[in-house]
Amino acid sequence: MRLVQTGVRWDVVKMRRFLGLQAIEHIEQPGAVAVDPHSPEPMLYFFVPAGTLANWNVPDTTALNSTECTTHVVLPPGHREAPPGPYWLLSPSCGLTPIATLRRALEMALHRPDTHPPIRIDTAAMRADAAQLIGDDAELPESTVLLQLVQRLRGYLMVLVPHAEDRMRSLAHTAEPRLVAQATVGEARRRLDAVPDLTFISEIKHAQALARSVEALCRHAETPTPTVAQERSAPEVGVVQQ
């Protein structure tokens, strides 16, 4: 990894991963995007042309440039496309995202009408893949099948984790569903960042851990968010176990 100053070849716009993924949906050809999975919540870094962020004022985002003070960002290795550590969601070879394009995409993501259909999460398909590793009738898959399962499970968690984080924001900080979701999300992040030993047994255990996180987050996604009245009537929770 390299520490590089902004404002020379490019500037950077930093935002929550969930918001960034929504913005990417509205960009036909997005430029390079890096991920920091280790912040209090995962963050995305959009690379834009240098000198274009002087009047940046989009809510829920941070402009990283060197206009007022020198700012540096950590660049992952060019080949790294997965954790552990920072990695590229979209390769540096994608170039830079035009600033007007990013602003328009963020405004669309931030001001979606209430009638906009929510993102559909196919928990049935996710559970079916997880069951191949942790179900009652699960059998050890071949190495090629295992690799494909792990890739799909990781993709599921990339969708389920921000979905759970977004739902958590509507809950009181001491609400039981929020505390349970925080524990589940934290465990899923650790499993995403884990790197198994290069042995088949270690890879199986890693895949099974991912499958358990997928199963837990599917249950969370399928559970209706409690109303304020339900939260107030719920007993306080002192310890959360998973």
Side-chain angles (χ1 to χ4, degrees):
M1 292 186 288
R2 297 179 295 139
L3 189 67
V4 182
Q5 180 180 337
T6 62
V8 180
R9 298 175 58 189
W10 34 256
D11 285 335
V12 173
V13 178
K14 173 183 174 182
M15 67 197 69
R16 294 181 293 113
R17 179 167 60 186
F18 185 71
L19 174 59
L21 292 177
Q22 288 182 308
I24 288 175
E25 293 179 11
H26 300 288
I27 302 176
E28 184 175 351
Q29 292 183 321
V33 179
V35 183
D36 178 7
H38 297 311
S39 298
E41 61 177 311
M43 307 297 290
L44 293 192
Y45 293 77
F46 284 74
F47 289 75
V48 300
T52 59
L53 294 178
N55 299 313
W56 186 260
N57 58 356
V58 178
D60 298 331
T61 68
T62 302
L64 302 178
N65 54 17
S66 297
T67 302
E68 298 181 359
C69 62
T70 302
T71 304
H72 293 76
V73 297
V74 175
L75 295 185
H79 64 277
R80 179 172 292 173
E81 298 180 351
Y87 61 94
W88 294 101
L89 179 67
L90 295 173
S91 166
S93 63
C94 295
L96 305 176
T97 301
I99 195 65
T101 300
L102 180 58
R103 181 187 293 273
R104 183 167 58 253
L106 284 167
E107 288 174 348
M108 295 174 70
L110 287 166
H111 301 292
R112 285 181 169 178
D114 293 338
T115 56
H116 189 88
I119 297 174
R120 183 178 179 272
I121 297 179
D122 189 354
T123 56
M126 295 178 179
R127 284 176 179 272
D129 276 342
Q132 295 186 54
L133 292 161
I134 59 174
D136 294 336
D137 300 326
E139 298 180 357
L140 289 181
E142 297 180 357
S143 58
T144 55
V145 175
L146 178 64
L147 177 60
Q148 295 171 354
L149 273 175
V150 168
Q151 291 176 337
R152 290 203 297 273
L153 292 170
R154 290 181 61 85
Y156 297 155
L157 290 177
M158 290 294 187
V159 173
L160 289 166
V161 166
H163 175 74
E165 291 170 338
D166 192 55
R167 294 188 69 194
M168 283 179 351
R169 294 186 185 91
S170 64
L171 302 174
H173 286 278
T174 56
E176 180 178 359
R178 184 187 180 107
L179 297 176
V180 172
Q182 283 177 332
T184 306
V185 165
E187 187 65 36
R189 286 180 181 170
R190 288 188 289 273
R191 288 168 175 171
L192 275 171
D193 288 344
V195 179
D197 297 332
L198 298 179
T199 64
F200 185 68
I201 295 300
S202 179
E203 290 175 349
I204 284 288
K205 290 181 177 180
H206 175 62
Q208 289 173 333
L210 293 176
R212 285 191 287 271
S213 283
V214 167
E215 176 67 26
L217 286 171
C218 280
R219 290 198 303 270
H220 177 73
E222 292 166 352
T223 303
T225 303
T227 63
V228 174
Q230 289 172 328
E231 288 183 34
R232 289 175 179 171
S233 63
E236 294 187 358
V237 178
V239 178
V240 176
Q241 295 181 340
Q242 183 178 7

